[in-house]
């Protein structure tokens, strides 16, 4: 007796049969637990890899009941809600850490800028004072020289 050329398989969570392995010649999207015929060697491969199962076998999983599916859906939604809340909380915590770090760095940069500005003002004031003192000394020297010259020239005139 020869081996059959096709075999039925079903996917526990749904699956896709590629065009190359589809008997229709097109890619097929297969819902969970729906039987579909494919080439026998491909079916055996998927069954061996536990990607699919033989729906006619005694140990084939049964379709979950509608009540079970609804409960599973509710559980999936509740789990997704929990994960979303955890992700939001983690994001808020990370955002607060980043904000706090940025604020402390900004304060530090501001303090460093104020200190540098104070140093520059002090340096400028010191330099200005030195220039003014030098100018005053120069002016006093010029005035003294002019007075002496006036005094000497006044003595010659008398």
């Amino acid at each position: 007796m020869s081996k059959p050329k096709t075999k039925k398989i079903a996917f526990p969570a749904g699956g896709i049969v590629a065009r190359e392995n589809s008997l229709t010649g097109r890619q097929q999207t297969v819902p969970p637990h729906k039987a579909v015929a494919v080439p026998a060697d491909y079916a055996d491969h998927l069954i061996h890899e536990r990607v699919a199962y033989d729906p006619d076998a005694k140990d084939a999983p049964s379709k979950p009941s509608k009540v079970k599916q609804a409960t599973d859906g509710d559980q999936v939604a509740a789990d997704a809600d929990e994960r979303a809340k955890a992700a939001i909380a983690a994001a808020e915590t990370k955002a607060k850490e980043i904000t706090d770090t940025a604020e402390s760095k900004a304060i530090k940069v501001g303090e460093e800028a104020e200190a540098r500005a104070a140093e520059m003002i002090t340096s400028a004031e010191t330099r200005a004072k030195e220039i003014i003192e030098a100018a005053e000394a120069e002016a006093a020297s010029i005035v003294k020289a002019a007075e002496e010259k006036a005094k000497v020239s006044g003595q010659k005139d008398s």
Side-chain angles (χ1 to χ4, degrees):
M1 196 170 184
S2 66
K3 278 178 92 177
K5 292 184 180 187
T6 65
K7 193 171 189 179
K8 286 186 178 183
I9 60 168
F11 297 96
I16 296 176
V17 177
R19 181 176 48 87
E20 300 84 32
N21 297 308
S22 173
L23 298 180
T24 65
R26 297 183 311 198
Q27 178 176 303
Q28 289 179 278
T29 302
V30 184
H33 305 288
K34 181 169 190 315
V36 63
V38 295
D41 58 340
Y42 182 62
D44 291 338
H45 169 73
L46 292 178
I47 291 169
H48 176 75
E49 294 294 323
R50 298 177 189 242
V51 174
Y53 63 92
D54 182 351
D56 299 328
K58 290 181 182 177
D59 60 347
S62 62
K63 288 185 179 182
S65 69
K66 297 279 183 192
V67 173
K68 175 95 170 107
Q69 287 176 349
T71 304
D72 288 348
D74 293 343
Q75 185 60 46
V76 168
D79 292 346
D81 189 46
E82 284 280 327
R83 286 193 307 273
K85 287 178 182 177
I88 290 170
E92 287 173 343
T93 300
K94 187 66 177 172
K96 180 158 178 27
E97 289 174 7
I98 291 169
T99 302
D100 291 347
T101 301
E103 286 175 352
S104 67
K105 284 183 180 180
I107 290 170
K108 183 179 178 185
V109 167
E111 290 171 349
E112 289 172 356
E114 287 176 357
R116 180 72 179 127
E119 287 176 17
M120 292 180 79
I121 290 170
T122 301
S123 175
E125 287 174 342
T126 302
R127 181 70 180 128
K129 187 175 179 182
E130 290 171 359
I131 291 170
I132 290 171
E133 288 174 354
E136 286 175 345
E138 181 80 20
S141 173
I142 291 171
V143 169
K144 188 174 181 183
E147 286 175 347
E148 285 182 18
K149 195 172 188 181
K151 192 175 180 184
V152 168
S153 63
Q155 287 177 353
K156 286 183 181 178
D157 289 340
S158 347

